[in-house]
Amino acid sequence: MKLNANILLLLATRAVASNAGSGNSSYAVQKPPLTTKWTYTAGTNPWPEYPRPQLERSEWKNLNGIWRYESASDLAAANNPPFNSTLSHEVLVPSCLESALSGIQGNNTLYSWFSTSFTVPSEWDDNVLLNFGAIDYEATVFVNGHNASFHRGGYFQFTVDVTKYLTSGENELLVFVHDPTDSGDYVIPIGKQTLNPSHIFYTPCSGIWQSVWIESAPANHVVQLDLAADMHGVVNTTVYTSQKNAEKVEVAIIDAKSGKSVASHQGLSNEPFHFTVSSPKLWSPDSPTLYNVTVTFGKDKIQSYTGFRTVSKGTVDGVVRPLLNGEFIFWFGTLDQGYWPDGLYTPPNREAMVYDIQTLKKLGFNMLRKHIKVETALFYRACDELGLMVIQDMPALRPLQSILPNDAQQQEFVRQLEVLVNQLKSYPSIVTWVIYNEGWGQLIEGYPEFALTDLVKQLDPTRLVDSTTGWYDHGAGDFSDNHHYANPQCGTPFYSISSSPFDPKRIGFQGEFGGIGNNVSLEHLWNNQAAINSINQTYEIDETIDSWNYRSHYLLSELKDQIELFSCSGGVWTQTTDVEGEVNGLLTYDRRVLRTDEKQWKADIQALYDAATARQNSTVSARSLGI
């Protein structure tokens, strides 16, 4: 990209705070390289919503807001906690330390201390549970001077029963966080994060980036609720409890509109059981019906929800297809990275987060691929409510085979894959799990994706598995998944070096394509010179919005041809928004410009669905073309 003198001057004058050593201990939003309309309205009471909608308790207290923060020198600092000290900086929780919204906007925040205090409501007479939505990457939790818990994994929620550590007044909460990202020889699940951002790899997220809250629960309480409700009305349930014994538990399914119970059943905790709801309304992108759920286990009463739907695969007119509720519909969505210029991994608020999903629905998409990141529980709830299928990636290890995991690192990857599936498997919108993206961290010898696919299917037999999306495909899983830019190669008799030949025994799928870029003015760009310099690495640059929409129409028409002629069952367009040095989003990174010609895109997307419907009743097939 060529920059004129005025833009160069603007670049020089738009200074960005970049480290935590500014000496400003009071919280203020830092000036990010790019803002959104929510940047300066997020406030200091972020994410007030109950954070875990599938296991909700009535007695809870949000601990989000202004905490204290201080950097630490190394890992050994955890052995010398700064109890009863005032840490040097105020910080917003939840947020990424590297983000402007945190008030820190740090670099290389590998070791960190966080502190706050809380009181327990006097009316609570049960145990007190301390909950964290996600901390990246390792967290040691201290309560009133006691080491209460250790957690590893930057994308997953965890709970600590802190009852025995509490006092009657103020309670000190201190958290030590170690986030190595891709430093040294660490090989951990990091997705697109890197300490050295460049083009398709982005600014990392360290610290407490999802909500923190306390709640009241009896000593023996529900710790996990697995719900899988299918198209026939069968509800498979397991209610896991803290003491792991078998005691009576009651589950009720409630019509969300009328508030009336449509079924209830008594079973035993920590053992699977099932029951049937007669003629339920099914969940689909066109009709995302949800039912409320009440779980009663002794004194513990949980509010939850579910949707009735079945995900499977089957042969339709000689082609292996993904099926939703027994029917083939074309799956079409975007590569959804979930990055924000002001909050990085953490959206400024729920309104901002939902805006992306609503934009996709408005254009006619019925799916998104959550790309090597795990979102908040409220994100999946929004997809459930709005009717957007989710293909969920496991966050990747280091990319492009740069450093492969050793045995211990591979075991940790597998453990976190299990956590991912177990934590998210009750959301109706999730239809597929992705294990490996483009060979990132994928061991080539021994083909571990076969055993990992079996593991995922054992943990969750209700969904499909895309074992290797792009690149090193040896035949595992339900999808024959091609990545190709810019034009698609979906279930076709032609392919390129970046993917394997189409396997007709599996679902033909275009895991990534498109990726065409359109540069914009500096006011909508991530104002970082290294990122700006990388823009021309985009697969294709279209100089005007009109030419970008023309090229989009051409590529979507090519995808439609592959539905009609070959074995294409779904596709993922790159991508929902621009991210840092990438300018290939439907939306710019600040969400202020929507590039799409709405009428054209809605027609082109509907044409994909129509072609898939017509194909099922057509005599045209790959075999009739001699393929």
Side-chain angles (χ1 to χ4, degrees):
M1 183 183 71
K2 295 181 179 179
L3 301 177
N4 62 32
N6 289 333
I7 293 179
L8 286 170
L9 178 62
L10 185 57
L11 275 169
T13 57
R14 281 179 59 176
V16 177
S18 62
N19 59 68
S22 65
N24 179 13
S25 62
S26 298
Y27 174 76
V29 178
Q30 298 297 301
K31 186 177 182 181
L34 184 66
T35 66
T36 70
K37 70 177 183 179
W38 301 280
T39 302
Y40 297 107
T41 62
T44 57
N45 182 32
W47 293 93
E49 302 85 359
Y50 187 87
R52 193 184 55 205
Q54 285 199 324
L55 205 165
E56 182 172 350
R57 292 186 171 91
S58 59
E59 291 188 317
W60 74 288
K61 183 177 180 180
N62 199 328
L63 300 188
N64 293 344
I66 303 301
W67 290 35
R68 305 293 302 191
Y69 158 81
E70 195 167 283
S71 64
S73 57
D74 54 29
L75 199 57
N79 299 322
N80 188 28
F83 297 132
N84 301 311
S85 299
T86 300
L87 303 183
S88 58
H89 296 270
E90 290 188 340
V91 64
L92 188 70
V93 170
S95 64
C96 303
L97 285 174
E98 296 85 350
S99 73
L101 286 179
S102 73
I104 304 298
Q105 203 164 229
N107 284 326
N108 296 312
T109 51
L110 275 62
Y111 310 99
S112 306
W113 284 107
F114 293 83
S115 70
T116 191
S117 62
F118 64 91
T119 58
V120 177
S122 58
E123 62 270 22
W124 291 7
D125 57 4
D126 284 323
N127 285 28
V128 175
L129 308 181
L130 172 63
N131 302 281
F132 296 90
I135 298 178
D136 199 354
Y137 170 69
E138 294 176 334
T140 307
V141 179
F142 300 89
V143 178
N144 291 330
H146 299 276
N147 188 330
S149 184
F150 173 80
H151 176 82
R152 175 179 290 125
Y155 298 93
F156 308 115
Q157 66 190 31
F158 65 100
T159 298
V160 187
D161 189 332
V162 296
T163 309
K164 64 182 179 181
Y165 306 119
L166 299 179
T167 66
S168 58
E170 290 282 328
N171 294 277
E172 181 190 45
L173 173 57
L174 192 64
V175 183
F176 178 76
V177 179
H178 172 219
D179 183 21
T181 311
D182 56 354
S183 63
D185 58 358
Y186 281 95
V187 180
I188 62 175
I190 54 174
K192 288 289 192 80
Q193 300 180 76
T194 177
L195 294 174
N196 300 290
S198 175
H199 192 45
I200 65 170
F201 303 106
Y202 317 132
T203 305
C205 173
S206 303
I208 305 171
W209 68 277
Q210 290 190 25
S211 289
V212 186
W213 73 104
I214 57 172
E215 59 191 2
S216 178
N220 192 13
H221 55 269
V222 177
V223 296
Q224 180 177 324
L225 174 62
D226 290 355
L227 288 171
D230 70 17
M231 62 183 287
H232 305 294
V234 178
V235 183
N236 285 286
T237 307
T238 308
V239 180
Y240 295 94
T241 60
S242 56
Q243 296 181 7
K244 299 181 174 59
N245 50 345
E247 296 185 19
K248 184 178 71 174
V249 61
E250 182 173 352
V251 177
I253 309 296
I254 300 164
D255 183 282
K257 291 185 178 179
S258 68
K260 295 181 179 179
S261 175
V262 296
S264 63
H265 184 83
Q266 288 189 356
L268 294 177
S269 60
N270 301 294
E271 297 181 7
F273 58 89
H274 68 272
F275 58 98
T276 301
V277 172
S278 178
S279 303
K281 296 178 181 178
L282 302 187
W283 186 96
S284 72
D286 290 335
S287 181
T289 302
L290 298 175
Y291 287 79
N292 292 330
V293 176
T294 300
V295 178
T296 304
F297 175 68
K299 291 175 59 181
D300 202 12
K301 191 168 185 178
I302 302 299
Q303 300 299 321
S304 189
Y305 70 94
T306 192
F308 289 84
R309 56 96 183 108
T310 297
V311 180
S312 61
K313 66 178 178 180
T315 300
V316 180
D317 192 26
V319 180
V320 180
R321 302 292 196 185
L323 306 178
L324 180 66
N325 299 327
E327 298 181 357
F328 167 53
I329 59 172
F330 190 79
W331 293 10
F332 191 58
T334 57
L335 197 73
D336 194 77
Q337 311 239 37
Y339 269 83
W340 296 81
D342 42 18
L344 301 177
Y345 259 21
T346 308
N349 54 29
R350 186 181 183 278
E351 177 191 352
M353 178 191 73
V354 172
Y355 175 79
D356 283 3
I357 303 171
Q358 291 173 328
T359 298
L360 296 181
K361 286 291 291 186
K362 184 178 180 180
L363 290 170
F365 292 97
N366 62 14
M367 177 267 288
L368 62 80
R369 177 183 164 201
K370 179 45 62 180
H371 190 41
I372 49 181
K373 181 196 176 189
V374 180
E375 293 288 357
T376 66
L378 293 171
F379 176 90
Y380 300 102
R381 169 76 194 203
C383 291
D384 293 339
E385 290 175 331
L386 294 173
L388 204 61
M389 295 184 291
V390 176
I391 294 176
Q392 177 64 52
D393 290 10
M394 172 63 191
L397 303 174
R398 282 194 173 186
L400 306 177
Q401 302 292 300
S402 56
I403 301 179
L404 289 174
N406 59 31
D407 288 345
Q409 292 163 343
Q410 179 68 8
Q411 290 175 17
E412 180 61 22
F413 175 80
V414 174
R415 184 192 72 83
Q416 293 192 33
L417 175 64
E418 292 186 49
V419 174
L420 171 81
V421 174
N422 282 324
Q423 199 161 104
L424 300 183
K425 65 183 178 183
S426 294
Y427 292 102
S429 55
I430 298 178
V431 294
T432 294
W433 306 107
V434 172
I435 299 174
Y436 285 118
N437 172 74
E438 294 186 350
W440 296 8
Q442 179 184 351
L443 295 171
I444 301 304
E445 294 183 1
Y447 302 165
E449 65 270 20
F450 282 92
L452 293 179
T453 299
D454 291 342
L455 172 65
V456 171
K457 284 184 173 289
Q458 179 183 0
L459 294 170
D460 176 21
T462 72
R463 291 179 176 85
L464 303 177
V465 178
D466 191 347
S467 306
T468 55
T469 178
W471 294 32
Y472 304 119
D473 181 6
H474 306 110
D478 298 306
F479 293 83
S480 182
D481 185 342
N482 181 291
H483 288 192
H484 193 255
Y485 292 99
N487 60 311
Q489 298 175 342
C490 183
T492 64
F494 45 87
Y495 66 98
S496 300
I497 193 171
S498 60
S499 284
S500 302
F502 168 60
D503 175 6
K505 298 187 297 298
R506 294 179 293 156
I507 298 164
F509 197 75
Q510 190 66 51
E512 295 181 25
F513 83 111
I516 56 175
N518 165 250
N519 207 350
V520 289
S521 62
L522 186 62
E523 64 182 318
H524 300 297
L525 288 176
W526 180 252
N527 188 358
N528 173 283
Q529 192 59 55
I532 291 171
N533 291 343
S534 71
I535 286 175
N536 277 339
Q537 296 179 35
T538 305
Y539 301 102
E540 171 184 308
I541 292 288
D542 303 317
E543 293 187 353
T544 66
I545 290 288
D546 287 344
S547 63
W548 183 88
N549 276 288
Y550 161 75
R551 288 289 292 147
S552 301
H553 172 69
Y554 179 86
L555 295 171
L556 293 175
S557 297
E558 193 170 356
L559 185 66
K560 181 174 73 73
D561 290 344
Q562 293 172 13
I563 299 169
E564 294 172 340
L565 297 175
F566 306 119
S567 300
C568 182
S569 292
V572 177
W573 179 274
T574 303
Q575 58 187 331
T576 306
T577 74
D578 296 349
V579 186
E580 298 195 5
E582 293 188 273
V583 292
N584 52 359
L586 305 179
L587 287 158
T588 52
Y589 197 20
D590 59 3
R591 276 73 169 177
R592 288 188 168 102
V593 177
L594 180 63
R595 291 185 174 94
T596 56
D597 179 322
E598 185 175 336
K599 182 178 179 181
Q600 172 198 304
W601 271 79
K602 290 176 73 171
D604 285 342
I605 292 173
Q606 185 61 48
L608 302 179
Y609 302 147
D610 293 344
T613 300
R615 173 65 189 273
Q616 297 178 69
N617 302 314
S618 172
T619 58
V620 177
S621 68
R623 281 197 298 274
S624 70
L625 292 169
I627 298 165

